[in-house]
Amino acid sequence: FISLFLFPMFFISGTFYPLERYPEIVQQLAWVLPLPPFIHIMRNLTEGNLSITMLWAALYMFLLFIVTYWIAVKQMRRRLIK
């Protein structure tokens, strides 16, 4: 899990380099991952920039949280019932 998902996520999510340096297709694929919205928010907060894109990034992270929480609860209930 770590070497298959987390390491590539760090490299293409804009953690070390801004996403603008990557090709367009990599930028679009990176925004599907959960880390780029967080990095976008933190980078803009440290630079003192406030924009509407930060709100969209926060809403996307909240949506990911709700979906993954729902999946986890569903799986846990299924395991506990068996």
Side-chain angles (χ1 to χ4, degrees):
F1 176 77
I2 289 175
S3 61
L4 181 65
F5 185 72
L6 291 180
F7 286 153
M9 184 173 60
F10 278 113
F11 288 118
I12 65 170
S13 66
T15 305
F16 304 111
Y17 304 105
L19 281 176
E20 292 80 26
R21 292 190 178 191
Y22 294 111
E24 185 68 28
I25 189 75
V26 175
Q27 291 179 26
Q28 293 173 354
L29 290 174
W31 279 99
V32 175
L33 300 171
L35 192 57
F38 177 76
I39 292 171
H40 174 70
I41 292 171
M42 290 299 116
R43 186 169 282 151
N44 282 329
L45 284 177
T46 56
E47 292 175 354
N49 300 330
L50 294 176
S51 67
I52 193 72
T53 59
M54 293 171 59
L55 177 64
W56 291 117
L59 288 173
Y60 178 67
M61 288 185 346
F62 183 72
L63 178 69
L64 284 176
F65 167 74
I66 295 297
V67 169
T68 54
Y69 181 78
W70 179 75
I71 291 170
V73 167
K74 187 175 176 180
Q75 294 246 344
M76 193 62 139
R77 284 185 181 156
R78 190 177 72 205
R79 288 185 182 187
L80 289 176
I81 291 174
K82 282 185 178 183

